[in-house]
Amino acid sequence: EDAAGQENFDRIIAKDSRVEPKDWMPEAYRRSLVRQISQHAHSEIIGMQPEANWITRAPSLKRKSILMAKVQDEAGHGLYLYSAAETLGTTRDEMMDALVAGKARYSSIFNYPTVTWADMGAIGWMVDGAAICNQVPLCRASYGPYGRAMVRVCKEESFHQRQGFEILLELANGTPAQRAMAQDAVNRWYAPSLMMFGPPDDDSPNSKQSMAWNIKRFSNDELRSRFVGMLAEQVKVLGLTLPDDEIRFNEDTKKWEHGPLDWEEFKEVLAGRGPCNAQRLERRRSAHADGAWVREAAAAYAAKQAAKQSS
Ligand code: FAQ
């Protein structure tokens, strides 16, 4: 209990200003931020895998170098996000241990397989597109280090989205087989990308408090609806279709609507039973174990430098 601290915190939130690492904050606020930011960081790191799967099979040198840069950007996003979470008093080791132990969440979307090159297009266009819709409002999140990290992340995601769209555009205007491959990828990634926004509002336990704390600015359904509207317009440019004939703009509510989503599938993925959950975790575990010598060497070097300075 810290009455003055609480008062200061309430004032910051009421003014829609920013909470900084050294400010007093309620424990529940801290915990919820660590939860969201660490999940977000894990998503970026696990999210490298589905696209890394195609680096060695990219159809040209140019595509390969773009894809490599994109996957490296995701690593960078993970690192800023772990740093932002560390300012709340959780160490990176603790977060990483939770991830490799299978105790931490990361986005459902990265548990789906990337079976063709067109999936690189669909991920850029739809998955990075959904990430942008969700993250632009997070640039105004009340916790300073998180909001500031989101600014740069969103700039990079915009480039990622364009590169994905351009892959699909080229395939859609290619041979009939390429066009079919693009359509198939859009069909498979559509529903999982809509589910990235989280459960429907009446089944979203964290939303209300997160919105009261100015972390989230819009509800899951609100952002999902905006995203569907964006896809519905852009798919026309691709000359492809979305696998949902219930998409429409509701003139009364001024919102985009879509057909039903399979929330049972979403729950299965969250419970660790999605198509690639086991594979993604196993890959992360082995990468973490293979990197142990680098961490040890870096720690030994840092200790040596510190000893030199103090002598
Ligand atoms: N997957 O009460 P809510 C990217 C969990 S973008 C897994 O609505 P909240 C870029 C949720 O954690 C992807 N779990 O929760 C990229 C909660 O469980 P908990 C990452 C999900 O926090 C592109 C429970 O369900 N982006 O990585 C999902 O208010 C290409 C109840 O849900 C972010 O993390 C899901 N889809 O809203 C990288 C954005 N949805 O914690 C590589 C930041 C919900 O109580 C390649 N996060 N859950 O155990 C957020 O905006 C929010 O946390 C939401 C969820 C909107 C994801």
Side-chain angles (χ1 to χ4, degrees), residues 268-288:
E268 281 295 295
V269 173
L270 261 62
R273 294 186 291 267
C276 301
N277 294 58
Q279 181 189 331
R280 300 290 185 243
L281 257 193
E282 189 41 47
R283 178 78 197 96
R284 172 79 332 246
R285 271 188 203 122
S286 59
H288 192 64

Side-chain angles (χ1 to χ4, degrees), residues 298-311:
Y301 180 76
K304 209 160 117 187
Q305 292 301 325
K308 249 191 218 163
Q309 262 170 20
S310 62
S311 66

Side-chain angles (χ1 to χ4, degrees), residues 35 39 44 74 105 108 134 196 198 204-206 216 220:
R35 175 187 68 80
Q39 288 176 3
E44 303 281 357
E74 308 301 355
R105 288 199 194 288
S108 51
N134 166 265
M196 286 174 71
S204 165
N206 299 301
K216 271 170 113 155
N220 298 356

Side-chain angles (χ1 to χ4, degrees), residues 32 35-51 70-71 73-75 77 81 103-111 123-124 126-132 134-135 138 146 150 153 157 160 192-201 203-211 215-216 218-220 223-224 263 266 269-270:
S32 195
R35 175 187 68 80
Q36 176 165 332
I37 302 172
S38 64
Q39 288 176 3
H40 194 165
H42 297 328
S43 304
E44 303 281 357
I45 298 300
I46 297 281
M48 295 167 73
Q49 293 184 37
E51 287 167 289
K70 189 217 187 256
V71 172
D73 286 349
E74 308 301 355
H77 298 172
L81 286 163
K103 290 183 189 149
R105 288 199 194 288
Y106 58 86
S107 183
S108 51
I109 193 74
F110 303 118
N111 294 304
I123 289 183
M126 302 168 110
V127 175
D128 288 273
I132 295 168
N134 166 265
Q135 289 167 29
L138 290 174
Y146 190 38
M150 284 297 106
V153 167
E157 301 293 25
H160 297 166
S193 70
L194 262 60
M195 290 182 192
M196 286 174 71
F197 294 91
D201 291 351
D203 195 20
S204 165
N206 299 301
S207 278
K208 192 164 171 265
Q209 184 60 72
S210 280
M211 288 171 82
I215 299 169
K216 271 170 113 155
F218 301 98
S219 76
N220 298 356
L223 292 175
R224 189 167 15 249
W263 293 109
F266 178 76
V269 173
L270 261 62

Side-chain angles (χ1 to χ4, degrees), residues 10 55 82 157 254:
D10 292 344
I55 290 175
Y82 285 126
E157 301 293 25
K254 302 281 176 224

Side-chain angles (χ1 to χ4, degrees), residues 18-170:
R18 279 199 149 144
V19 179
E20 295 299 337
K22 286 187 176 144
D23 292 333
W24 184 92
M25 61 188 87
E27 267 317 295
Y29 177 81
R30 186 187 298 277
R31 270 200 312 276
S32 195
L33 280 168
V34 169
R35 175 187 68 80
Q36 176 165 332
I37 302 172
S38 64
Q39 288 176 3
H40 194 165
H42 297 328
S43 304
E44 303 281 357
I45 298 300
I46 297 281
M48 295 167 73
Q49 293 184 37
E51 287 167 289
N53 182 34
W54 280 90
I55 290 175
T56 56
R57 292 175 288 166
S60 70
L61 185 59
K62 185 183 116 192
R63 293 290 183 199
K64 180 169 173 159
S65 54
I66 295 171
L67 188 61
M68 268 169 55
K70 189 217 187 256
V71 172
Q72 284 178 1
D73 286 349
E74 308 301 355
H77 298 172
L79 299 184
Y80 323 136
L81 286 163
Y82 285 126
S83 298
E86 281 185 312
T87 64
L88 292 157
T90 314
T91 67
R92 193 174 300 198
D93 283 347
E94 287 170 317
M95 293 184 271
M96 197 47 76
D97 288 349
L99 178 63
V100 297
K103 290 183 189 149
R105 288 199 194 288
Y106 58 86
S107 183
S108 51
I109 193 74
F110 303 118
N111 294 304
Y112 291 86
T114 45
V115 295
T116 70
W117 170 253
D119 289 4
M120 300 304 96
I123 289 183
W125 180 45
M126 302 168 110
V127 175
D128 288 273
I132 295 168
C133 262
N134 166 265
Q135 289 167 29
V136 165
L138 290 174
C139 294
R140 295 188 290 123
S142 57
Y143 189 58
Y146 190 38
R148 288 188 289 272
M150 284 297 106
V151 175
R152 173 154 175 194
V153 167
C154 285
K155 285 183 187 166
E156 294 180 352
E157 301 293 25
S158 305
F159 151 68
H160 297 166
Q161 197 204 12
R162 280 154 194 247
Q163 69 86 38
F165 186 83
E166 202 258 341
I167 289 174
L168 287 180
L169 189 63
E170 191 157 315

